[in-house]
Amino acid sequence: MTHPNRFLLVAAAIAGATGVSLGAFAAHGLEGLLQSQGLEPELIAKRVGQFETGSRYHLVHAVVLLALAALGTNASSLIVKSGSLFLAGIVLFSGSLYLLVLTETPWMGAITPLGGVAWIVAWALLAFAAPKRPDQTSPPA
């Protein structure tokens, strides 16, 4: 039995716990907080949507980290690098959206695409990390 990759497992656990916590906050406390800041209803709705987008992508990629951790300690270096980029994407994409909403600093939105790029590269690395069967020398025609 292979053991999970500890780094990826810990990252998945932390990302999952924070994703659920922030999602719950978005559902139960965010709107009230934004109202207390005196924001207009339209802007509140936009900010809640942004926060929920961050939370949704955060949780999806926490599950991806968990799946990568399940590959075990024999996971290729590309898989570990992919996991690191998935984690960076959570911090940059979701984190920038959380900060944008909580601090009402729209310029944080300029950081968000960097997280998206990290995720795209992570998914691409994951594709390259897929093991090839020893008897497979070329793709089927």
Side-chain angles (χ1 to χ4, degrees), residues 15 100 103:
L100 179 155
T103 63

Side-chain angles (χ1 to χ4, degrees), residues 55-104:
S55 178
R56 181 173 52 254
Y57 278 80
H58 184 152
L59 285 169
V60 164
H61 288 92
V63 173
V64 171
L65 287 170
L66 185 60
L68 294 179
L71 294 174
T73 54
N74 294 330
S76 75
S77 65
L78 282 180
I79 288 175
V80 176
K81 288 174 185 173
S82 177
S84 297
L85 286 168
F86 281 124
L87 185 58
I90 291 171
V91 171
L92 293 170
F93 183 94
S94 298
S96 66
L97 288 177
Y98 299 146
L99 288 173
L100 179 155
V101 171
L102 294 174
T103 63
E104 190 51 35

